[in-house]
Amino acid sequence: MKCPEFLDQLDDLARGRLGGEAERAAREHLASCPSCRQAERGLSALLSAARALPSSVEPPRDLWKGIQAGIRAQKAERRPARVLPFNAARFGVAPDGAAPDIAAPREGRTAKARLIARLSVAAAVLAIGIGASLALPALLRDGGRESFGYRARPVPAAFGLSPGLAESQAALESARAELYAALEARRGSLGKETAAVLRKNLRIIDEAVDEIGKALERDPGNEELSGFLFSAYENELRVLSQAASMKGSI
Amino acid sequence: MIGTAESGTTDERRLALMAKAGDESAFEKLYRSTAGRVYALCLRLTGRPDLADELVQETFVRAWRCLPSFRGESAFSTWLTRIAVNLALSERRKSARLDGRLERPEDIEELGVQRETGDAESSIDLERAIAALPEKARRVFVLHDVEGWKHEEIAELAGIAVGTSKAHLHKARAALKEALSL
């Protein structure tokens, strides 16, 4: 065995992890190489000293008061969530919180029209993609047979939201269901790639909402998480609104 | 001894579950039983008693917040040390750190080191030498050679390559051997 090979195995030898033939060969090299013997002695002494260090060192002062203050500050932050200034009309919802009637297509289209009027277009790249695909010859417009994967989300109570926020979430959920229905209705007019990108993006948002929801279940009333939840809903509604309302629909 | 370790872990788990349900006094008991372990780790990782104090407090406050995610699959103290290491390695701490050197040798003695085994003098020498290491080399040495972590774990937590972790360890060991005349 040569020195570089021995040095590669020195760590394992010093920790007692080498066995059998490997250990025999290493020890044979040690016996004949002063330089490697010195390296082995040095490392063994260092590791031995490291192992002998006390595993516990009492802090010089009691830190509990500071910790307790930190814990109580956290508890104080978890006040009942204030009602976010949710403008129901932005999502085509009547001021009293009534959601668009999904079963009534005419009213659904009216609600959708209000959404289109109020929501700003944020996903510019997606919009361009959708627009380009709508210019494709009919033969190439095939959003595929796979649906966009709408599924209703858990009831607001599971998220630990306050009554005001729960009402807002219910309204968002209704708008979401309606937009999904509109999107499904025109699946055939979208290009395959665009539909695939849409499905993927909607799935990503869906998973994000699921994660935030689980976090809210563990930390109910957390304002920051509630904010994330509503941002995710807004993003989703923007994407759905764009996809469902672009020009070029059949 | 094994029975003691097992009953200690069982007690910790029981207290952790009580703390998870909001029992602050149970959490205080957990603090009292694990603070020494966490402080030792934090002191060695930071090289500064003031930063170690701060880090210990942050660790326990963060642990309280994250209790809902503690499932009892690992020992509470193991889970806690992971939180401490995460905090110690987080970027924002860099700006608060100086070179990580203890200015006065007597700082080590003031820490109330509990000498369980071996030569007290050499233990203090090693603590001082570790504190004098460059920050990255110190972190890797403490986690690998003192705490027993693998390079893969260190690399993942520190956001570095395994090879980089090994290089830091090599540098740390060389410096420590020279400092201690080994």
Side-chain angles (χ1 to χ4, degrees), chain A residues 229-250:
Chain A
L229 179 68
F230 285 91
S231 290
Y233 262 106
E234 287 194 15
N235 283 333
E236 188 180 31
L237 289 178
R238 277 195 197 97
V239 169
L240 287 168
S241 174
Q242 279 177 264
S245 65
M246 288 298 291
K247 286 182 186 174
S249 57
I250 299 169

Side-chain angles (χ1 to χ4, degrees), chain A residues 186-244:
Chain A
R186 56 179 308 220
R187 190 187 338 146
S189 67
L190 297 174
K192 254 188 197 163
E193 251 185 62
T194 301
V197 168
L198 255 177
R199 283 189 196 98
K200 184 180 167 189
N201 287 340
L202 290 171
R203 195 170 52 244
I204 288 170
I205 296 173
D206 218 20
E207 284 166 3
V209 170
D210 275 350
E211 275 186 38
I212 299 167
K214 282 174 189 162
L216 268 169
E217 282 173 11
R218 289 193 298 267
D219 191 3
N222 183 304
E223 274 194 44
E224 194 178 32
L225 288 173
S226 301
F228 290 155
L229 179 68
F230 285 91
S231 290
Y233 262 106
E234 287 194 15
N235 283 333
E236 188 180 31
L237 289 178
R238 277 195 197 97
V239 169
L240 287 168
S241 174
Q242 279 177 264

Side-chain angles (χ1 to χ4, degrees), chain B residues 49-102:
Chain B
D50 57 336
L51 286 182
D53 269 12
E54 189 186 309
L55 189 52
V56 168
Q57 292 183 74
E58 278 189 44
T59 297
F60 280 93
V61 172
R62 173 74 64 91
W64 172 264
R65 186 184 178 122
C66 295
L67 270 172
S69 65
F70 175 69
R71 300 184 201 288
E73 288 158 359
S74 59
F76 179 78
S77 50
T78 304
W79 182 73
L80 200 60
T81 54
R82 196 155 181 102
I83 292 176
V85 173
N86 255 312
L87 285 171
L89 298 185
S90 67
E91 282 300 311
R92 63 190 174 89
R93 296 206 146 271
K94 276 188 182 177
S95 60
R97 284 184 173 149
L98 300 174
D99 285 339
R101 291 180 224 271
L102 284 175

Side-chain angles (χ1 to χ4, degrees), chain B residues 97-165:
Chain B
R97 284 184 173 149
L98 300 174
D99 285 339
R101 291 180 224 271
L102 284 175
E103 293 295 331
R104 299 171 297 141
E106 54 265 33
D107 284 355
I108 297 284
E109 303 208 29
E110 284 171 3
L111 299 176
V113 169
Q114 292 172 5
R115 298 174 183 111
E116 296 171 358
T117 59
D119 180 9
E121 269 307 308
S122 64
S123 180
I124 292 174
D125 286 342
L126 180 54
E127 299 272 24
R128 187 180 301 139
I130 291 170
L133 287 172
E135 182 180 71
K136 290 175 185 172
R138 182 177 64 247
R139 284 176 186 170
V140 175
F141 177 80
V142 168
L143 291 175
H144 189 275
D145 283 354
V146 179
E147 297 291 324
W149 286 39
K150 295 179 183 164
H151 282 296
E152 288 74 16
E153 294 172 304
I154 297 167
E156 188 191 353
L157 221 55
I160 57 176
V162 169
T164 305
S165 179

Side-chain angles (χ1 to χ4, degrees), chain A residues 11 15 42-43 47 49 53-58 60-64 66-68 71-72 74-75, chain B residues 24 27-28 31-32 36-37 39 44 53 56-57 61 64-65 111 113-114 116 123 126 144-145 173 177:
Chain A
D11 219 280
R15 292 175 187 275
L43 180 59
L47 292 180
L53 285 175
S55 60
S56 178
V57 174
E58 276 309 302
R61 58 187 182 92
D62 187 356
L63 301 172
W64 174 248
I67 294 165
Q68 190 177 45
I71 288 171
R72 288 184 178 173
Q74 278 185 20
K75 284 181 182 174
Chain B
E24 206 176 280
F27 194 68
E28 183 181 354
Y31 160 74
R32 302 254 171 241
R37 171 94 182 82
Y39 184 77
R44 287 171 191 141
D53 269 12
V56 168
Q57 292 183 74
V61 172
W64 172 264
R65 186 184 178 122
L111 299 176
V113 169
Q114 292 172 5
E116 296 171 358
S123 180
L126 180 54
H144 189 275
D145 283 354
R173 283 173 172 176
K177 281 192 278 186

Side-chain angles (χ1 to χ4, degrees), chain A residues 111-126:
Chain A
K112 191 173 68 180
R114 287 203 290 268
L115 261 163
I116 294 160
R118 286 176 172 85
L119 284 176
S120 58
V121 177
V125 172
L126 184 56

